[in-house]
Amino acid sequence: MPSLDSLQTRRTLSVGEIEYAYYSLPAAEEAGLAGIARLPVSMKVLLENLLRNEDGGSVTKADLQAFADWIVDRGSAQHEISFRPARVLMQDFTGVPAVVDLAAMRDALAKLGGDPEKINPLNPVDLVIDHSVMVDFFGTPDSFAENVAREYGRNIERYRFLRWGSSAFRNFRVVPPGTGICHQVNLEHLAQTVWTSAAALGAEGEATAEATLAFPDTVVGTDSHTTMVNGLSVLGWGVGGIEAEAAMLGQPIPMLLPEVIGFHVTGALPEGATATDLVLTVTQMLRKKGVVGKFVEFFGEGLASLTVEDQATIANMAPEYGATCGFFPVTRATVDYLAATGRTPERVALVEAYAKAQGLWVEPGLEPPVFTDTLELDLAGVVPSLAGPKRPQDRVLLTNAATSFREALHGEFGKDEAAEGRRAAVDGAEHGLGEGDVVIAAITSCTNTSNPSVLIAAGLLARNAVAKGLTVKPWVKTSLAPGSQVVTDYLAKAGLTEPLDRLGFNLVGYGCTTCIGNSGPLAEPISQAVQDGDLVAVSVLSGNRNFEGRVNPDVRANYLASPPLVVAYALAGSMLTDLTSEPLGKGTDGEDVFLKDIWPTSEEIATIQRQVVNEAMFAERYGDVFKGDARWQAIEVAGGQTYAWEMGSTYVQNPPYFEDLKMEPAPVADIIEARILGVFGDSITTDHISPAGNIRGSSPAGEYLSQRQIPQSEFNSYGARRGNHEVMMRGTFANIRIRNKITPQIEGGVTRHFPSGEVMSIYDAAMRYKAEGRGCVVFAGKEYGTGSSRDWAAKGAKLLGVRAVIAESFERIHRSNLVGMGVLPLQFVSEGWQRLGLTGEEIVTIRDLQDLHPRRQLMVELYRPTDGKIARFPVRCRIDTATELTYFQNGGVLNFVLRNLAREAA
């Protein structure tokens, strides 16, 4: 429906021969929203969103006034708004369960007497299949073809389902396997910076003769790193699949007006520093600053020295520095990038004209916006860096990397001083394997493979290394997994494919691979040596996530690094080698070769980039991006408007969320005498809660698959099986590195059942409590649910019978996901669970849940059966908005949407 436009801001904008309608921010200021010209650009995008969607209900005139008030209070006042993104982006790990839910909603709506065809995305949705390829084969010319064949073999059930979805649902497109990573495809093709609607609508909903509506391109995605497109001035961030489904179905996303931290950039990067080094520096600074739940917006004269690809690298890692987004305004670089990557001339002209008309355009000399707070970085001070061994914010200078790892080896990993000298035997090999040896070196991930400068740098370093006669150490598993086919085009054009291949960095696939745990197995002799020697093996990857247990089950230390440093560590073969002072190896002339001898210059990198990256590459690769290869086209589609569920499928099953759904929700029941399923420490990630990596044969999920005659070689990963709730609920809290304080002596997803005292898997305990009629709660420390936007971390908890999670603080997306599944997030008011002396035997009661309101304080009652003592402590309900409360009271956001659609049909 059209906006009420109470401030009368609708205007027209002529660009060439095309006339566009738009909602003018300068007109809004003239109409009474004083000072909004000084808003951060990201806030202006939000304000336009509300001007365009003002309906008197979800968006009111008071909401518009809140933006003018923001200038005065700089975001300190808490005001809820309803944000409506222009579109939704998905990757297949989180996208498949979202489409499963839509299919299940069609079934449920039919049972409620509604028309299943009512369940359709109302906003455009693009799903890019990028998370399924695994590095089973590497180091040969056939690696890509062999990995793609394995990918189709493993995932054909999922792909049949997605092919059905792309034909059954309107407004839903699928980018087939082997094309690229969703965020890079988004940056290079899907994103437009300024979006347009097909036509404006009149008061009765009919099309009018008015101009096409222009507005900022905005997006939410089912992956945390959706923020990457902030580098192209597109406001967007990652949400859980649950929120994404609501957005697809026309529900606004409730959010509080954010604080906006201005990041002032000056100077230019020095010789030898890369965009990766810059983003690791920014991540460390912003983590120290504390920007969780806030917007970060970059400004200052230093932007002129950054490319859009550099900006995208920085924006990509917003989840790692904790911000909702890492936004860059529209500049000359923005429109130049749009033109260079094949957007139409009409779109490029519109972006420039619209941005200037709306005050979204930034150029040197303009007065900076008003920010909540600021910090500053001189780019000239950036130096080569890595991050590790367990978190992306733990930056270490390259000059100190070997020393830092040595300290972690003896401290964090508990190795004695003699450990460095010991080497385990490798069956069938002349070499051994020692502590700190690099067993995985992967050029991977959207973070860096979207940036030609660091990919070309890696290729040049490989060329120089080959010329010197250097080779990769034989225990290193090498791989190149770009984010789009354009990457291999320009590497080939530059003559850099051959030297990368010579070092084993052959193309293994176009997808996320190692960064999300799809590194594939190590060679069996290497894996056995790691296990037999209890070695701290190392991976070095050009990714954004290095949480423990994520990359590979045999690898305990993981480091993020630029692509050229990935190649360098593959040559050195050990994290204990100081690349700044020790040789990488000996050349064919018998002389030592150092990193400085083969590192390319910034001028050489830039010159080659200008020569080999061109618009024609993008036009060719994205000209028919949804078509897919012969394998994709050959997949037969079954089912009509409702899906014909394959009962024997171990990949896709009809989930139980909507069983016995009634038109009216039952009142929220108090939590009475619940059992504690787990007690966890700080920084428990969604990887810990809902792993995406390998499925072990001895795990509950492995046992489930074995019972269905699936051989362990075909288990695939948790991420690939997210469409099957039976696998995923068994995988919840099943990470091999998670530590439950109830069973502190055991690593992995186990707990103690009470009152029996038996130690068992968390899944088995949850099922026993459910059979006993007991609900469960989970206790945790700070930053619960940090990491990837993984909806199964909430869905799995719900299916295990978890009624509430009580933590010291929550990661933004996961907190929202818990609410969206009807699980209550509660935050300690003062100290955490440590002072309570929890053993896990306590019984938990929380009352007054029928009288909830956003952020209400509640009391938790703990009863300890062994001594009969009762303790009480206050918690804050982290249902933050009235809209979220409505979702929670309905048992989740999808239940709420279903009921509304059924009422419309009645």
Side-chain angles (χ1 to χ4, degrees), residues 670-672 845-850 856 858-859 861:
D670 289 344
I671 298 172
I672 305 295
T845 295
I846 307 170
R847 305 181 193 277
D848 297 331
L849 298 188
Q850 291 187 34
R856 180 190 170 183
L858 298 166
M859 292 299 295
E861 178 183 294

Side-chain angles (χ1 to χ4, degrees), residues 418-432:
E420 292 178 39
R422 289 194 292 263
R423 295 191 72 76
V426 178
D427 189 34
E430 295 181 2
H431 63 82

Side-chain angles (χ1 to χ4, degrees), residues 527-613:
S527 175
Q528 196 61 51
V530 171
Q531 294 175 38
D532 291 346
D534 187 31
L535 300 176
V536 180
V538 176
S539 76
V540 181
L541 64 152
S542 63
N544 45 42
R545 291 276 161 85
N546 58 333
F547 302 127
E548 58 181 339
R550 180 184 179 93
V551 169
N552 186 284
D554 288 328
V555 180
R556 296 169 65 185
N558 305 283
Y559 284 85
L560 307 181
S562 65
L565 282 182
V566 170
V567 177
Y569 273 103
L571 296 168
S574 174
M575 200 67 210
L576 289 168
T577 301
D578 183 349
L579 300 194
T580 63
S581 64
E582 298 179 60
L584 300 177
K586 289 189 181 295
T588 49
D589 59 4
E591 296 295 318
D592 287 338
V593 179
F594 293 84
L595 182 62
K596 60 183 174 58
D597 299 330
I598 60 173
W599 192 271
T601 66
S602 300
E603 182 180 355
E604 184 180 16
I605 295 166
T607 298
I608 291 177
Q609 183 173 339
R610 286 192 296 269
Q611 292 171 346
V612 302
V613 183

